[in-house]
């Protein structure tokens, strides 16, 4: 529901240095030689060590690689690289299993008393879940993160992306649990091809009992999957109280009422903007949506009601 900006180069380097210590050189080399059989050739630009390039690949590169594999004849070849076929069923070969196992080692690794899970959330500059924009995901101590890390592309289906930084989305437990039970195509908050402010809109309607109904719309089919499959709109119906409070404020503090305030307070030179700020709070920006629960909903309703 809201965009997450890329991490700083400094934090990317910290993350990479953590990953490379948790995965043996032999496994790194095997993974690279293996993945070059099915990932697109332009995935690698040779500008830096190839395994580092994989770990820090921006989300758009991961997305294009997945689309390439699924739209070509490479899908079965890729799965053949991952799995060993045994009588008990498909299991990952030792190298890919080490890659998947490295995720927990990386996420739990500590520096200066802070786990990587906590540092990921802190450096994402998020305190609320980017999927629902409702629940707080701030840490509850040095080693206890309030967030879960969603493997946007499942590490079971795509173990090659198991430790990729931009495949890990800090989210609330509810969104992570619901998403992981789905097979639909979703949109990642790291996807820079999405204009989250424009492509997702909140609207308020009244039902037959005059209760506020919150409607979330998008013309983008994948975003609509986020909304429907993760039951985001249903989750928002509990916030009809906040919507009603906003509508009441808008009704009470009409333009005429604000003018009356100005007439009474003219001696202290209170502007209409200052009155609006006192009544409705500051205008919600893309940055404040990362830390304010319901920020996207309130921002859209402020626009719809002509407040900001």
């Amino acid at each position: 529901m809201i965009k997450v900006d890329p991490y700083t180069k400094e934090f990317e380097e910290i993350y990479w240095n953590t990953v490379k210590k948790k995965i043996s050189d032999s496994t790194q080399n095997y993974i690279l030689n293996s993945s070059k059989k099915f990932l697109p050739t332009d995935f690698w630009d040779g500008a830096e060590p190839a395994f580092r390039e994989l770990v820090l690949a921006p989300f758009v590169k991961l997305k294009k690689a997945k689309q390439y594999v699924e739209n070509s004849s490479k899908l079965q070849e890729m799965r053949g690289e991952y799995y060993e076929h045994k009588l008990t069923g498909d299991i990952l070969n030792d190298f890919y299993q080490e890659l998947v196992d490295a995720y927990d080692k990386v996420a739990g690794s500590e520096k200066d008393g802070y786990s990587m899970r906590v540092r990921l959330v802190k450096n994402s500059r998020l305190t609320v879940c980017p999927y629902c924009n409702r629940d707080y995901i701030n840490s509850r101590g040095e080693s206890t993160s309030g967030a879960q890390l969603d493997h946007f592309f499942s590490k079971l289906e795509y173990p090659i992306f198991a430790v990729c930084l931009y495949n890990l989305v800090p989210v609330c437990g509810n969104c992570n649990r619901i998403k992981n039970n789905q097979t639909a195509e979703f949109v990642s908050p790291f996807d820079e091809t999405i204009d989250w402010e424009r492509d997702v809109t909140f609207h308020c309607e009244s039902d037959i009992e005059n209760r506020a109904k919150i409607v979330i719309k998008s013309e983008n089919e994948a975003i609509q999957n986020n909304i429907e499959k993760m039951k985001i709109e249903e989750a928002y119906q509990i916030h009809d109280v906040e919507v009603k409070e906003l509508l009441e404020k808008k009704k009470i503090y009409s333009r005429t009422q604000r003018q009356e305030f100005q007439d009474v307070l003219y001696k202290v030179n209170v502007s209409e903007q200052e009155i609006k700020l006192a009544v409705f709070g500051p205008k919600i920006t893309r940055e404040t949506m990362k830390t304010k629960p319901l920020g996207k909903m309130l921002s859209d309703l402020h626009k719809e009601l002509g407040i900001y």
Side-chain angles (χ1 to χ4, degrees), residues 3 6 39 74 81 95-96 121 140-141 174 180 193 195 204 209 215 227 233 251 258 280 293:
K3 182 179 183 292
L39 294 184
K74 301 286 186 178
E81 286 289 313
F95 295 102
Y96 276 101
V121 177
R140 300 187 180 187
N174 286 329
N180 285 344
T193 67
D195 186 337
C204 179
E209 297 181 7
V215 179
I227 296 168
E233 189 171 281
K251 183 178 179 180
R258 293 199 301 272
F280 298 105

Side-chain angles (χ1 to χ4, degrees), residues 34 49 51 54 56 69 76 78 88 95 103 110 118 136 149 178 226 237 244 251 259-260 276 282 286-287:
S34 170
F51 196 73
L54 171 65
L56 299 182
V69 169
Q76 290 305 315
M78 180 191 73
T88 54
F95 295 102
Y103 162 71
E110 293 193 1
V118 171
Y136 282 110
L149 297 178
I178 295 173
N226 283 36
Q237 300 316 310
K244 286 179 180 178
K251 183 178 179 180
Q259 184 60 54
E260 290 178 4
K276 184 186 293 187
R286 187 168 69 86
E287 281 302 308

Side-chain angles (χ1 to χ4, degrees), residues 19-276:
V19 170
K20 71 179 181 180
K21 293 175 183 177
K22 304 298 182 184
I23 302 174
S24 66
D25 291 342
S26 59
T27 292
Q28 291 184 35
N29 290 331
Y30 177 91
I31 296 298
L32 286 173
N33 292 330
S34 170
S35 63
K36 287 179 179 179
K37 297 176 184 178
F38 50 83
L39 294 184
T41 56
D42 62 359
F43 187 90
W44 319 97
D45 60 24
E48 55 190 1
F51 196 73
R52 182 182 189 278
E53 198 173 352
L54 171 65
V55 170
L56 299 182
F59 176 78
V60 66
K61 184 179 279 191
L62 301 179
K63 177 181 175 182
K64 287 180 179 178
K66 177 178 179 290
Q67 291 172 341
Y68 170 82
V69 169
E70 293 184 347
N71 293 334
S72 68
S73 59
K74 301 286 186 178
L75 188 59
Q76 290 305 315
E77 179 183 350
M78 180 191 73
R79 289 179 175 164
E81 286 289 313
Y82 292 162
Y83 293 104
E84 293 179 349
H85 298 278
K86 297 189 181 290
L87 293 177
T88 54
D90 289 340
I91 62 172
L92 288 171
N93 69 38
D94 291 342
F95 295 102
Y96 276 101
Q97 189 63 56
E98 182 182 342
L99 181 65
V100 170
D101 291 344
Y103 162 71
D104 285 328
K105 297 176 182 177
V106 171
S109 65
E110 293 193 1
K111 182 179 180 180
D112 299 327
Y114 290 90
S115 73
M116 179 58 75
R117 285 186 177 89
V118 171
R119 286 179 283 154
L120 273 167
V121 177
K122 181 178 179 181
N123 283 274
S124 72
R125 300 178 290 283
L126 291 168
T127 59
V128 292
C129 175
Y131 282 148
C132 67
N133 195 217
R134 296 173 64 244
D135 295 340
Y136 282 110
I137 59 171
N138 56 301
S139 64
R140 300 187 180 187
E142 295 178 349
S143 60
T144 305
S145 175
Q148 295 183 10
L149 297 178
D150 169 42
H151 279 81
F152 186 78
F153 299 130
S154 165
K155 62 179 181 289
L156 296 178
E157 293 292 323
Y158 287 88
I160 188 67
F161 299 148
V163 295
C164 290
L165 177 60
Y166 291 102
N167 191 42
L168 304 177
V169 185
V171 297
C172 70
N174 286 329
C175 284
N176 195 29
R177 183 181 67 257
I178 295 173
K179 175 180 174 292
N180 285 344
N181 290 331
Q182 306 290 336
T183 57
E185 290 290 327
F186 294 98
V187 174
S188 169
F190 284 118
D191 193 334
E192 295 190 346
T193 67
I194 302 295
D195 186 337
W196 290 94
E197 291 187 65
R198 183 196 66 192
D199 294 347
V200 180
T201 56
F202 283 76
H203 170 67
C204 179
E205 299 176 354
S206 296
D207 63 16
I208 57 175
E209 297 181 7
N210 203 33
R211 293 175 300 191
K213 180 182 179 183
I214 301 159
V215 179
I216 313 174
K217 297 180 180 179
S218 177
E219 297 297 324
N220 184 306
E221 182 178 347
I223 293 178
Q224 196 60 39
N225 279 338
N226 283 36
I227 296 168
E228 293 179 1
K229 302 299 184 182
M230 284 196 271
K231 301 186 182 300
I232 303 295
E233 189 171 281
E234 287 89 338
Y236 266 82
Q237 300 316 310
I238 196 174
H239 299 295
D240 63 329
V241 174
E242 288 91 336
V243 174
K244 286 179 180 178
E245 288 177 352
L246 178 61
L247 295 175
E248 283 298 314
K249 285 182 179 180
K250 172 63 177 175
K251 183 178 179 180
I252 294 171
Y253 296 99
S254 63
R255 179 170 295 275
T256 302
Q257 185 68 49
R258 293 199 301 272
Q259 184 60 54
E260 290 178 4
F261 271 112
Q262 286 179 286
D263 291 343
V264 172
L265 299 173
Y266 77 95
K267 289 184 179 180
V268 292
N269 196 29
V270 176
S271 68
E272 179 178 340
Q273 186 64 29
E274 288 171 319
I275 294 173
K276 184 186 293 187

Side-chain angles (χ1 to χ4, degrees), residues 1-26:
M1 305 303 293
I2 59 173
K3 182 179 183 292
V4 182
D5 294 320
Y7 295 97
T8 64
K9 295 299 181 183
E10 179 183 9
F11 183 73
E12 287 184 350
E13 195 64 29
I14 290 171
Y15 183 80
W16 158 242
N17 286 328
T18 302
V19 170
K20 71 179 181 180
K21 293 175 183 177
K22 304 298 182 184
I23 302 174
S24 66
D25 291 342
S26 59

